[in-house]
Amino acid sequence: RRYPTVETRAEAFNGSTHVAVPSDSDFLKALLFELRLTDDQSFVEHRDTCTRIDHSSVHSVRVEGGDLWPVVAFQKSGLICACLPLVEERLEPRPPLLTISGLSQGLALLFGILDYISPSRKNEAEMSAKIGQLRNLLIQACPLGTPLNTNISSLSSSFDDIQVIPTDDKQPVWRSNTYKGKPQVTVCITEKVKCMQYDKRDVVDMWQVYGAVNCKCDIEGAAPNVTLTLNLPTNGSPLQDILVHHCVTSIDPAMLMSSSVDPLDDSVYSGPYKFPFIPPSDSFNLCYYTSQVPVPPILGCYQLIEEGSQLKLTVNLKLHESIKNSFEYCEARIRFFNRGPIAHLEYKVSYGQLDLSREKSLLVWVIGQKFPKSSEVSLTGTVTFGAAGEEHPTDYVCTGNTAYVKMYFRIPDFTLTGCYVDQHSVQIFAPGKPKITASRELISSDYYIWNSEASAPIMYKSLYY
């Protein structure tokens, strides 16, 4: 989708230094090259030099007329999502990413499109139909290049249902209709924790929290004002790298300055985090954030040793004392790559149960909804494999004894930062007494425990963009 009005504005901001957007085919070719998804894997200095390391989804794409920046692009669910947000100022020198509001709007729109398409990935006909409807949906979601509603799934693909632009001068364009009924506000804080554990003296373990605050505000009025406050307990971990939805009307600059990029920066803001906003009609993410928490929720040690035709494995897991011991689910998955099916398995678990997958290449250790009183569980066993076949999983990284345990868990009514919404602090400047519903959850995401008896890919903390 191209917006000539947006391209004209970009040219007005940058004058002679403006880089025109090439044709769709040329842009796609340049983007695939930038993302290293072409057949040609040769070294290219401006893209592959060690001085340039990508730590975000914002790229500079080299085209015939110069460098297009900032291009938001990422891969998810087997798809490439990309957009080119408008920077409402000159690009030389390049402004800080946190000051470009179009980045968060573009990301929200891409995630909305992805949420709409992804459920149909395994059905080719259904996916083709959804992609065919995208053009009509984008006319509603982003009519002139400015996202008005990023919840694509909530829109109708019929032109007959497109709502007219609000006639009330006070009603913002992102609030597509007015609600009639009892006022209610639903807020959910979702934190995802990523982790890389190695159990080695010379390698630093890494973990980080990524949070999102989702809101649904059913409130009467053309432009109701809402103020939502996020709070931290005394020992909570400060929120950093905060990105807010475009409906937020004002914000404390100290919140935006709290960044995880520079570990020596002392501009840490510990809240409270206030967000005054005029809510869209549908569910939306009010803000995103990261945080550096002192410990990961589950500490693990994985040892895998090859002895003759057998593999001996030991897994020890410990729930940190500060973590709520109440899971919706908790399991550890041990997948064996580049080998045949498991022909023989002997094991002992101190807690939970161990299941072997149907394809006999995956062990699933179901820990359940609670750790024992000791907060520690262990698994030991030996595994023997049969002849390898084409149907068994392969991996370029996990060769030899390089292997991992991947954790999957969800803890309801808990956040690793301690972040919560005080229902009494939600202010709504509209008639009626609203019903406030607040919830929170912690979910694992790319939570790896690597075999300490072999080499493993290393991830260090990003120091610069």
Side-chain angles (χ1 to χ4, degrees), residues 195-200 205 296-303 314-320 332 365 371 375 377 405 407 447-452:
C195 191
M196 287 275 192
Q197 296 183 41
Y198 303 97
D199 192 35
K200 293 184 178 182
D205 292 345
I298 297 176
L299 296 168
C301 173
Y302 178 33
Q303 293 180 327
T314 302
V315 184
N316 295 307
L317 302 174
K318 181 178 181 180
L319 180 69
H320 193 269
W365 182 11
F371 273 66
S375 298
V377 294
V405 173
M407 300 297 302
Y447 203 105
Y448 294 95
I449 302 169
W450 289 92
N451 177 22
S452 61

Side-chain angles (χ1 to χ4, degrees), residues 273-293:
Y273 305 87
K274 288 192 175 183
F275 299 89
F277 60 95
I278 300 175
S281 306
D282 300 296
S283 174
F284 70 103
N285 284 327
L286 176 66
C287 70
Y288 299 92
Y289 61 84
T290 68
S291 184
Q292 300 289 335
V293 296

Side-chain angles (χ1 to χ4, degrees), residues 70-207:
V71 176
V72 177
F74 58 89
Q75 298 179 68
K76 191 173 183 182
S77 303
L79 301 170
I80 302 172
C81 301
C83 70
L84 179 59
L86 173 67
V87 180
E88 297 183 283
E89 57 182 299
R90 291 186 63 85
L91 294 179
E92 295 296 341
R94 289 183 179 178
L97 295 182
L98 288 175
T99 65
I100 304 174
S101 61
L103 288 177
S104 57
Q105 296 180 39
L107 272 172
L109 183 62
L110 291 179
F111 278 122
I113 293 173
L114 196 62
D115 290 341
Y116 171 72
I117 292 177
S118 291
S120 308
R121 280 189 61 241
K122 296 182 179 180
N123 187 322
E124 189 174 343
E126 184 180 344
M127 186 167 179
S128 297
K130 282 197 170 185
I131 291 176
Q133 294 169 356
L134 260 182
R135 183 175 182 83
N136 291 354
L137 296 175
L138 282 174
I139 291 176
Q140 304 171 62
C142 193
L144 294 174
T146 300
L148 307 182
N149 186 351
T150 57
N151 188 357
I152 306 297
S153 301
S154 70
L155 300 174
S156 169
S157 60
S158 169
F159 279 109
D160 297 333
D161 295 332
I162 297 178
Q163 300 188 41
V164 297
I165 297 176
T167 55
D168 192 324
D169 293 338
K170 296 181 180 180
Q171 183 168 340
V173 290
W174 62 78
R175 190 169 172 81
S176 56
N177 54 42
T178 54
Y179 173 77
K180 298 293 182 182
K182 186 177 179 180
Q184 52 187 354
V185 175
T186 303
V187 184
C188 179
I189 303 174
T190 299
E191 287 189 354
K192 295 184 178 181
V193 55
K194 292 188 175 184
C195 191
M196 287 275 192
Q197 296 183 41
Y198 303 97
D199 192 35
K200 293 184 178 182
R201 290 184 177 181
D202 58 338
V203 181
V204 180
D205 292 345
M206 296 300 305
W207 59 90

